[in-house]
Amino acid sequence: MRISFCQGLLTGAIILNLLILYYVSRAQQQMMEKRKDFGRGTKRVALPASGLGGGLGVNGGAGANGGIGVEGHSRGPRVTVLLREFENFENYVVDVANSFLHHRPELPFLAVADLSPYPPLVLPEGARLLVLSPSPDQPPQAHRPEFHVQTEFVLLVPDGVELEQPRVVERLIKELEGEGGGPVRLVAAPVLVRSAVQCLHLRVNLREWTATYSPAASGSSGSVCTALQGDAVVLVRTEDLFNLSVPLGRPLFSALFVQTALRGWKVKLLESPCFSAGHRPLFSSAHNQWKADTRLKEATGKLMRSFGLKRILLPEGKEQWYGCGKETPRCFGTVQEDTPDYLYLDRWTPPCCLRALRETTKYVINILESSGVRYWLEGGSLLGAIRHQDIIPWDYDVDLGIYLDDIPNCDHLKNLDAGSLVDANGYVWERAVEGDFYRVQYSEANHLHVDLWPFYSRNGVMTKDTWTEHKQDVEFPEHFLQPLVPMPFAGISAYGPNNHRAFLELKFGEGVIENPQYPNPAKKRLDRGKF
């Protein structure tokens, strides 16, 4: 068959197009392979300084080769040195930067501050300042640290530290890589100061709003624990650091180890090598030390409240509280449908609220007993006494039954029809607006309370003239109160019905003691596997 000129021309054009498509595809594949190789060395893409509009506060350059640098080969440095903790009014950031850049000029050095420091920092060439506070004229990445760390690891250094052994960084990397991605996700080296850094065990219980620190045992080749106390240099993988919710919170160690402990990560504290600290103490005057301590206290309170931690147990046995008190409102608002807001967060009653309820209960019971008012633990409070010898861990008030006939015996109760009473200790006694009962509040500001439910005997049955919609608010035989029996509750001895099981099952149903449940299971049910 003869091929015409037009058919030959068309065939040639098709072959030419196929050749062009082949070579273009091959070129694209080669470019992608080069990008992958580059990404393995840098992990992150650098942001050009010009694209940030000066929002980083750059002083000098961004390090060798625009912040990527060379470390004996083309891959670039593996570590960024990051200084987070320093005070504007007195610091040694410039000295720390000079120390590291003198021995390891190829390592990027990044100082991080919440706001632009005043007086301004004049950093050496190779060091940069990152301000975390957003600016309306800057893109969001200008103030996000994960865009400014291009290396595989981050070395977190405290203020005043000096680098004397240039290869110590490689030693830390070797130690961390030797853990093989197990639970040890951070490696630390001590800073030589008067007080040695201490390895701690940290247990964070968000359900109970509590963090507990305790001493950890030391090993022959270093300690493995969940938190550190004192001055140390910490190496962490960049990916791990920026997978935390608050990677650079302050105080840095508190923020860091609360988050890593919740993830089951551990830190290995080496016995050596060590970093030196030529600037100790950090502050030259008692006034500056006071300012630093005050700022640390404020930052710690802000951090713990943001994390939802209201009680901190320290290794020496002391407690720190960041919740409500007598001069503040309670930690939760008006309770809707018997389900406080914290239950929807899968948390229980904040410990500061439980503390206030215990104090109020002890105070009220002491006054009732001294006044000759017969009382007994009611409802959920009796249930708590039987199960826990305490308030139910998710309860938000305390209920006591009292004999109506005994109210005239108590000066705090007998005149409440005329208005509320604030006693000499700041407790508020009042007739409740929700019904015919009494309420004692922790204070005028904090409305955590004990409710007093008046009953009277009629033909051997304890009854009332008005009732609430609560399931447990029902009549019951008086023989449960004859006699009343003492039982431990909330750190004191209180009185309760003599046959508590029958009493509680009359009010709540059979098996209530063995089958705990939230007050309104239709709104929120208790996961008994976590109880």
Side-chain angles (χ1 to χ4, degrees):
M1 182 179 71
R2 296 182 64 182
I3 300 175
S4 67
F5 174 77
C6 291
Q7 288 174 327
L9 186 62
L10 179 60
T11 302
I14 292 173
I15 294 173
L16 180 61
N17 284 332
L18 289 173
L19 288 172
I20 293 173
L21 182 61
Y22 168 76
Y23 283 110
V24 168
S25 175
R26 186 174 179 182
Q28 288 178 337
Q29 184 177 2
Q30 289 174 346
M31 289 178 64
M32 290 181 65
E33 289 176 353
K34 289 181 179 180
R35 287 180 180 175
K36 287 180 180 179
D37 291 339
F38 178 76
R40 292 189 190 102
T42 62
K43 295 293 182 182
R44 280 170 161 60
V45 178
L47 287 172
S50 59
L52 300 176
L56 292 180
V58 177
N59 291 273
N65 293 332
I68 298 175
V70 178
E71 195 176 62
H73 44 73
S74 60
R75 186 167 72 167
R78 302 183 70 188
V79 180
T80 294
V81 182
L82 193 150
L83 200 166
R84 175 67 174 110
E85 294 277 11
F86 63 92
E87 300 293 348
N88 294 346
F89 52 84
E90 186 174 2
N91 62 71
Y92 299 96
V93 175
V94 174
D95 290 352
V96 178
N98 281 325
S99 174
F100 276 85
L101 292 173
H102 172 72
H103 293 286
R104 302 298 299 270
E106 78 284 0
L107 297 183
F109 186 97
L110 189 64
V112 180
D114 293 312
L115 301 170
S116 294
Y118 178 81
L121 292 175
V122 182
L123 295 174
E125 183 177 355
R128 294 182 296 148
L129 171 68
L130 171 62
V131 177
L132 297 178
S133 178
S135 176
D137 62 335
Q138 299 294 327
Q141 62 267 30
H143 306 279
R144 292 170 57 182
E146 62 268 30
F147 284 92
H148 303 278
V149 178
Q150 306 158 26
T151 54
E152 185 180 355
F153 299 96
V154 177
L155 190 70
L156 302 170
V157 300
D159 195 10
V161 165
E162 297 175 353
L163 177 65
E164 292 183 341
Q165 304 174 36
R167 307 310 297 178
V168 66
V169 178
E170 281 67 30
R171 165 72 189 282
L172 294 177
I173 293 175
K174 183 178 179 181
E175 286 284 349
L176 187 54
E177 289 183 326
E179 295 296 332
V184 173
R185 305 291 277 270
L186 309 98
V187 170
V191 175
L192 293 175
V193 291
R194 294 192 196 115
S195 57
V197 63
Q198 185 180 6
C199 217
L200 301 175
H201 176 64
L202 170 59
R203 184 177 64 88
V204 181
N205 189 331
L206 291 180
R207 188 182 66 184
E208 297 180 6
W209 314 75
T210 300
T212 303
Y213 292 87
S214 57
S218 298
S220 58
S221 60
S223 303
V224 174
C225 51
T226 49
L228 300 176
Q229 183 180 59
D231 276 344
V233 172
V234 175
L235 182 77
V236 59
R237 289 181 176 86
T238 303
E239 182 180 9
D240 285 345
L241 179 65
F242 291 120
N243 273 330
L244 300 178
S245 301
V246 187
L248 296 177
R250 291 191 71 190
L252 182 60
F253 275 11
S254 297
L256 181 67
F257 292 122
V258 164
Q259 296 174 91
T260 56
L262 284 168
R263 289 159 173 79
W265 298 358
K266 296 182 182 297
V267 55
K268 184 174 184 179
L269 177 63
L270 306 178
E271 296 178 354
S272 65
C274 299
F275 287 79
S276 61
H279 302 290
R280 287 297 187 277
L282 273 176
F283 305 104
S284 58
S285 68
H287 178 69
N288 279 358
Q289 183 65 59
W290 171 82
K291 286 174 64 177
D293 292 343
T294 301
R295 287 167 62 92
L296 175 62
K297 184 177 180 180
E298 293 172 351
T300 302
K302 182 178 179 181
L303 176 76
M304 295 306 171
R305 282 186 282 271
S306 71
F307 281 174
L309 293 173
K310 299 178 182 293
R311 184 188 184 208
I312 310 298
L313 298 175
L314 301 176
E316 61 271 21
K318 295 182 180 179
E319 293 179 314
Q320 292 177 341
W321 293 86
Y322 300 102
C324 65
K326 210 163 179 78
E327 305 303 322
T328 69
R330 67 184 185 184
C331 296
F332 54 95
T334 302
V335 176
Q336 305 289 335
E337 299 178 292
D338 298 326
T339 308
D341 58 10
Y342 50 79
L343 290 185
Y344 292 108
L345 302 174
D346 290 321
R347 296 194 175 200
W348 289 352
T349 311
C352 47
C353 298
L354 290 174
R355 179 180 63 169
L357 284 173
R358 294 186 188 106
E359 290 179 10
T360 306
T361 300
K362 180 179 180 180
Y363 183 78
V364 170
I365 285 179
N366 182 59
I367 288 177
L368 295 178
E369 290 182 349
S370 62
S371 301
V373 176
R374 291 166 290 177
Y375 74 90
W376 60 94
L377 293 170
E378 260 290 350
S381 297
L382 177 61
L383 199 53
I386 302 306
R387 285 201 200 123
H388 314 282
Q389 294 78 55
D390 201 351
I391 300 166
I392 291 177
W394 52 82
D395 210 350
Y396 52 87
D397 64 5
V398 169
D399 294 311
L400 300 176
I402 60 173
Y403 271 86
L404 178 65
D405 297 343
D406 294 343
I407 288 178
N409 300 336
C410 180
D411 292 338
H412 290 74
L413 292 174
K414 64 183 181 182
N415 295 319
L416 292 185
D417 288 340
S420 61
L421 166 69
V422 181
D423 68 21
N425 293 293
Y427 293 89
V428 181
W429 298 69
E430 62 184 7
R431 181 178 284 276
V433 297
E434 299 95 328
D436 189 16
F437 63 98
Y438 300 97
R439 174 165 290 165
V440 186
Q441 296 181 162
Y442 187 45
S443 71
E444 291 182 276
N446 192 324
H447 294 172
L448 289 160
H449 56 265
V450 173
D451 286 336
L452 305 175
W453 302 90
F455 285 82
Y456 62 89
S457 177
R458 183 173 60 192
N459 300 323
V461 174
M462 298 301 292
T463 187
K464 300 190 299 178
D465 293 329
T466 61
W467 301 90
T468 68
E469 296 180 356
H470 294 292
K471 181 180 180 181
Q472 67 270 26
D473 194 21
V474 295
E475 295 179 331
F476 59 90
E478 189 179 12
H479 66 72
F480 283 113
L481 309 180
Q482 296 177 343
L484 292 165
V485 296
M487 58 182 60
F489 178 70
I492 61 172
S493 179
Y495 284 103
N498 55 60
N499 187 342
H500 57 260
R501 176 176 290 277
F503 185 85
L504 287 169
E505 291 189 345
L506 171 68
K507 298 236 173 187
F508 293 103
E510 187 176 354
V512 64
I513 296 175
E514 293 79 17
N515 298 287
Q517 190 49 262
Y518 288 153
N520 189 346
K523 293 298 178 181
K524 180 68 177 178
R525 295 190 63 84
L526 171 66
D527 183 352
R528 295 181 185 173
K530 298 179 180 179
F531 179 59

